[in-house]
Amino acid sequence: MSIFPTKVLSATDGSREAKLAARTAGDLAEKTGSELHVVYVGGEGFYETPLVEFAPLEPTWVAREYPGLLSDIERTERELLDKEVEQVQAVGGKVAQAHLRMGEAAPEIIALGEEIGVGLIVMGSRGRGDMRRALMGGVSQRHP
């Protein structure tokens, strides 16, 4: 039995801080013999944002009214995830699997971590000041 996690999940949003966290997660996974998984959660706020006042965007409604829009958004988000994976691999990290999730970041990251049985979730923090953190918060500070 090892004290190290067998799976590490690196949550990325493309920010400078997330890139540093991904490199750190890659190093940690390599040194502990853990699988490295990378997740990018796209479309945050998209499903909660009304297209017009009082008409919330639900995936089925959007798919019906705007065929192809969701697949276009997911394709763009997949490209961002692929770039993040390439950057981890460029510094020697070995990514076992890349995951694209759509929705609100915090619950999606936690749900994926539970689904694949990770022992550690690594993510960056943008280092906002006290006032910004109080007003805006951050994914690394949220809990379900």
Side-chain angles (χ1 to χ4, degrees):
M1 181 176 206
S2 173
I3 61 168
F4 300 112
T6 58
K7 294 181 183 178
V8 174
L9 179 61
S10 174
T12 185
D13 62 2
S15 68
R16 187 185 78 214
E17 294 82 2
K19 290 177 194 310
L20 178 60
R23 251 180 282 149
T24 302
D27 289 345
L28 180 62
E30 179 187 347
K31 290 177 180 163
T32 61
S34 303
E35 283 184 13
L36 176 61
H37 293 255
V38 177
V39 62
Y40 179 88
V41 181
E44 184 165 16
F46 176 78
Y47 296 111
E48 294 83 25
T49 304
L51 180 62
V52 293
E53 199 169 326
F54 309 114
L57 285 174
E58 296 174 15
T60 54
W61 182 84
V62 172
R64 185 179 65 246
E65 297 296 320
Y66 297 95
L69 178 62
L70 291 180
S71 61
D72 288 345
I73 291 168
E74 287 184 18
R75 184 174 33 259
T76 300
E77 304 290 22
R78 172 62 64 185
E79 290 170 4
L80 292 169
L81 173 61
D82 291 344
K83 285 180 185 175
E84 294 298 314
V85 169
E86 287 172 11
Q87 289 178 352
V88 170
Q89 292 172 335
V91 295
K94 293 181 177 105
V95 177
Q97 192 170 359
H99 306 268
L100 175 64
R101 302 294 282 246
M102 300 298 279
E104 188 178 342
E108 290 295 330
I109 293 166
I110 292 168
L112 176 62
E114 290 173 346
E115 286 170 24
I116 63 176
V118 300
L120 178 67
I121 298 174
V122 179
M123 65 179 67
S125 172
R126 291 206 171 128
R128 294 180 173 142
D130 291 338
M131 183 58 77
R132 277 196 160 180
R133 191 176 319 115
L135 294 173
M136 299 173 64
V139 172
S140 61
Q141 297 171 314
R142 292 187 191 146
H143 46 80

